[in-house]
Amino acid sequence: MDTITVRRQLHRIPELGFQEFKTQAFLLDRIKQLPQDNLMVQVWKTGILVKVKGTSSKQVIGFRSDIDGLPIQEETGYDFKSEHEGNMHACGHDFHMTIALGALETIARNPIRDDVVFIFQPAEEGPGGALPMLQSDEFKKWKPDIIFGLHVAPEYQTGVVAIRKGLLFANTSELFIDFKGKGGHAAYPHLSNDMIVAASHFVTQLQSIISRRVNPLDSAVITVGKITGGTKQNIIAEQARVEGTIRALSPETMRIVKHEIENQVGGIEKSFDCQAEIDYGANYYQVYNDPNRTESFLQYCQKENHEVVICSEAMTGEDFGYFLKDIPGFMFWLGVNSESGLHSSTLKPDEKALDKAIKIVSGYIQFLSA
Ligand SMILES: CC(=O)N[C@@H](CCC[C@H](N)C(=O)O)C(=O)O
């Protein structure tokens, strides 16, 4: 397989969560080109499960790739840039899919003892495909005994594995708050309840939850990424919407932060005489690396001379955490050396990481099955 061509073809067609129709068709077409003797395929929504039957299986090994893109207008200047206006593979899922396809090809062409399931999961960026996929009959039928996955990391050198035992990624929750008040003429503020002012007060006081309600030895993040409201510069806004995300290192801290947000929103309702509705959108469970499985991966990396860095926890989220809650395994960062970070319109991961990662992933599957 020409990995760079595959990655570029996928890069051209980023699709949002549960709309990955072209991506699914592309992946199915590539899977069809592999030797079919030991392959079984199931489609689940816009995702795919591929099983490679082992010669005399003792365990089922799972490798997961996410497949969705982000609503970002690409600015990389690539001649293979996104053909889908306003969407971009800005979180490296084009890399993840290419690596999964490459490892699948290696295992399909070189039979091993154990069964291997390659999981192409939709909607990681939202609303979250991992949990419903995990609960599906299709997944249950081929449930792995061990599962692993990777995520590209712009800040590490190409091909470096960054990993830690235990907590790797945070608990996350989306946050959407709609404020509703009374609009009116800009010249008569005393006759209205201005939701631009209410939302602004809320956004500025929100950070005091992190500085005054979360134990300073613990960590949490609240980011507001979008505010909308009002209709015209000389009309007092009767509505405003605040959109953000919450990150916490434990489910308990997540509960505390949400409780405090609800208190503050209640206060805004009182002081601005308005109504507010909170919606927590998609919630992801923390990514917690099983210490024994991580140790076995570290031993494999050492044996094969793959460069490893033991990293700190990150406040990123991943719905892969739901798989790891149920099945022992791990996730690791794969260095792709890009000046621009994840979720940036100019993310340019180094394609040399692709073949290195295919070797790491297929090699570990072979190591587990030896
Ligand atoms: C690796 C990564 O960047 N993951 C995303 C996950 C999104 C979670 C959810 N949609 C949210 O915004 O809270 C991240 O933003 O960390």
Side-chain angles (χ1 to χ4, degrees), residues 91 93 124-126 151 169 172-175 244-247 282 284 315-319 333 342-343:
C91 202
H93 299 188
E124 186 275 330
E125 297 292 353
H151 203 293
F169 291 177
T172 73
S173 171
E174 295 174 350
L175 177 65
T245 179
I246 313 166
R247 310 295 162 105
Y284 294 172
M315 282 297 185
T316 36
E318 248 286 359
D319 63 353
W333 288 111
L342 299 175
H343 294 196

Side-chain angles (χ1 to χ4, degrees), residues 94-353:
D94 50 346
F95 266 54
H96 303 170
M97 287 185 272
T98 307
I99 294 162
L101 278 176
L104 166 58
E105 173 164 5
T106 306
I107 302 300
R109 293 195 190 282
N110 303 280
I112 59 169
R113 183 195 65 196
D114 292 326
D115 292 348
V116 186
V117 177
F118 289 87
I119 301 150
F120 294 91
Q121 177 222 300
E124 186 275 330
E125 297 292 353
L131 188 56
M133 188 181 225
L134 186 70
Q135 292 164 341
S136 71
D137 291 340
E138 291 84 347
F139 187 84
K140 284 183 190 155
K141 200 164 127 192
W142 291 350
K143 189 172 173 182
D145 300 302
I146 167 182
I147 192 163
F148 71 113
L150 63 80
H151 203 293
V152 297
E155 65 273 34
Y156 292 105
Q157 290 305 304
T158 302
V160 166
V161 167
I163 192 167
R164 74 191 306 275
K165 292 178 187 172
L167 189 73
L168 185 71
F169 291 177
N171 296 268
T172 73
S173 171
E174 295 174 350
L175 177 65
F176 303 96
I177 307 176
D178 285 300
F179 294 94
K180 287 199 178 64
K182 185 165 176 252
H185 196 292
Y188 300 88
H190 57 297
L191 302 179
S192 321
N193 297 321
D194 187 341
M195 290 305 100
I196 298 274
V197 175
S200 304
H201 272 263
F202 171 69
V203 170
T204 47
Q205 75 185 50
L206 192 56
Q207 295 305 332
S208 68
I209 294 175
I210 305 300
S211 65
R212 286 296 174 271
R213 284 291 170 267
V214 173
N215 183 332
L217 299 179
D218 188 3
S219 274
V221 174
I222 309 173
T223 293
V224 171
K226 187 173 173 186
I227 306 180
T228 45
T231 49
K232 193 173 183 294
Q233 119 288 344
N234 64 347
I235 299 175
I236 286 179
E238 69 174 22
Q239 61 80 29
R241 181 172 168 84
V242 169
E243 301 183 31
T245 179
I246 313 166
R247 310 295 162 105
L249 291 183
S250 69
E252 178 50 24
T253 304
M254 177 61 79
R255 266 191 294 277
I256 292 170
V257 171
K258 284 185 173 176
H259 175 74
E260 295 298 332
I261 288 175
E262 285 152 27
N263 272 349
Q264 287 199 351
V265 168
I268 294 285
E269 282 183 310
K270 270 215 165 100
S271 44
F272 290 89
D273 193 14
C274 64
Q275 285 83 50
E277 253 178 47
I278 305 177
D279 172 5
Y280 290 117
N283 289 237
Y284 294 172
Y285 191 72
Q286 62 199 15
V287 171
Y288 191 90
N289 284 343
D290 178 80
N292 295 331
R293 298 300 187 172
T294 309
E295 179 57 32
S296 113
F297 182 62
L298 287 170
Q299 282 172 10
Y300 154 76
C301 288
Q302 193 178 23
K303 182 169 164 277
E304 297 299 323
N305 281 325
H306 296 307
E307 198 181 336
V308 174
V309 170
I310 304 299
C311 61
S312 310
E313 306 92 322
M315 282 297 185
T316 36
E318 248 286 359
D319 63 353
F320 186 61
Y322 287 116
F323 286 114
L324 291 181
K325 195 173 178 213
D326 201 32
I327 304 167
F330 59 88
M331 171 163 262
F332 66 92
W333 288 111
L334 170 76
V336 292
N337 190 31
S338 162
E339 263 179 38
S340 306
L342 299 175
H343 294 196
S344 155
S345 59
T346 51
L347 174 75
K348 284 182 162 187
D350 180 0
E351 290 175 327
K352 287 199 275 306

